[in-house]
Amino acid sequence: MRNNAIRWWEGNFDGDLKNDFAVWRPSNGDWYVINSSDGTQRVQQWGTPGDIPVSGDFDGDGKTDFAVWRPSNGTWYIIYSSDGTQHTQQWGTSGDIPVPGDYDGDGKTDFAVWRPGQGNWYVINSSNGAQNTQQWGTPGDIPVPGDYDGDGKTDFAVWRPGQGNWYVINSSNGAQSTQQWGTPGDIPAPADYDGDGKTDYAVWRPGQGNWYVINSSDGTQRVQQWGTPGDFPVPADYDGDGKADFAVWRPGIGEWYVINSSNGVQQTQQWGTPGDIPC
């Protein structure tokens, strides 16, 4: 996983409510996108070697913006899709993990980082510019922000690899919840697989390529074999049915493998080269 952070693979760059195939190339800072709406291909230079891609909808227009976070100076660099303007925000320090999300529920992605050494989250609310700090997690945890309670706001959440426990603070009422799901060596892959508007607990097991999901709608557990050791899990809604699809990206050949949740059809798309980061 890139930088031990979970995301977020959802990149709807053309605003059609389907995830686009997209990669960021660290060697030259170029973004390569296939628009799901019409199949056209786009290239955008944005970022430099050492940056971390942090795509999100920072301007609230329903489209994913090109964005990177620079660990060396803790600065975010964004191109708004709404008007093409460029924006910069200093937020975070070297060693932080970027965890962008909509923490205040205004439909815009907020600047946010998680500091592993102390387990603190630092967020700038896009709605009013207020800065928010929350202690949640311990060194060694993996941040897994998502909307686990379905209130339209991103919740503070971490996954603890040593025991496979998820720890979540529900933004709707401040309640804290714990869920055991996964084992050491798994990769957390939270997403809304059942389409109920809530993030589901999910992990992908590299050794066997199995996905393990707890549906938040009814608590049922699902297992799906999809992928092989060395793949990157990239769950997102590629077919536009409101549910996350099981998907992996294979770094060695740059191919995407997706099972459409709408009809079970399997699709393959070559997009990217070794060394790229799926976005």
Side-chain angles (χ1 to χ4, degrees):
M1 295 304 296
R2 72 164 179 261
N3 215 37
N4 277 340
I6 300 306
R7 260 241 334 153
W8 302 309
W9 311 104
E10 302 183 32
N12 179 22
F13 294 88
D14 54 3
D16 68 345
L17 302 182
K18 296 181 181 179
N19 198 80
D20 306 317
F21 298 110
V23 297
W24 184 72
R25 191 156 295 162
S27 60
N28 59 13
D30 280 351
W31 297 70
Y32 300 89
V33 180
I34 300 178
N35 289 332
S36 55
S37 55
D38 57 13
T40 57
Q41 300 179 5
R42 303 169 58 190
V43 180
Q44 174 67 53
Q45 203 294 318
W46 194 244
T48 63
D51 288 350
I52 296 174
V54 287
S55 50
D57 185 5
F58 294 87
D59 56 0
D61 68 344
K63 298 180 180 180
T64 298
D65 306 316
F66 297 107
V68 297
W69 183 72
R70 192 157 296 162
S72 60
N73 60 12
T75 300
W76 300 66
Y77 300 89
I78 302 163
I79 301 177
Y80 281 179
S81 56
S82 55
D83 57 14
T85 57
Q86 301 179 6
H87 298 262
T88 303
Q89 174 67 52
Q90 201 291 321
W91 194 246
T93 64
S94 180
D96 288 350
I97 295 175
V99 284
D102 185 6
Y103 294 86
D104 56 2
D106 68 344
K108 298 180 181 180
T109 299
D110 305 319
F111 301 109
V113 296
W114 184 71
R115 194 155 293 162
Q118 54 195 220
N120 279 354
W121 299 67
Y122 299 92
V123 181
I124 300 178
N125 291 335
S126 55
S127 56
N128 57 15
Q131 300 180 6
N132 183 16
T133 302
Q134 175 67 53
Q135 201 293 320
W136 194 246
T138 63
D141 288 350
I142 296 175
V144 285
D147 186 6
Y148 295 87
D149 55 1
D151 68 344
K153 299 180 181 180
T154 299
D155 305 318
F156 300 110
V158 296
W159 184 72
R160 194 156 294 162
Q163 55 197 216
N165 279 351
W166 300 68
Y167 299 92
V168 181
I169 300 178
N170 291 334
S171 57
S172 57
N173 56 15
Q176 301 177 4
S177 61
T178 303
Q179 173 68 53
Q180 202 293 319
W181 194 245
T183 62
D186 288 350
I187 296 175
D192 183 9
Y193 295 90
D194 55 3
D196 68 344
K198 299 180 181 179
T199 299
D200 304 319
Y201 300 110
V203 297
W204 183 71
R205 194 157 294 163
Q208 54 197 219
N210 278 354
W211 299 70
Y212 299 89
V213 180
I214 300 178
N215 289 333
S216 55
S217 55
D218 57 13
T220 57
Q221 301 178 3
R222 304 168 58 190
V223 180
Q224 173 68 52
Q225 202 293 319
W226 193 246
T228 62
D231 288 349
F232 279 74
V234 286
D237 185 7
Y238 296 87
D239 56 2
D241 68 344
K243 299 179 181 180
D245 307 315
F246 297 109
V248 296
W249 184 72
R250 194 155 294 163
I253 55 180
E255 285 200 339
W256 301 66
Y257 300 91
V258 181
I259 301 178
N260 290 336
S261 56
S262 57
N263 55 17
V265 171
Q266 301 177 5
Q267 60 169 315
T268 302
Q269 175 67 53
Q270 203 293 319
W271 194 246
T273 62
D276 288 350
I277 296 175
C279 299

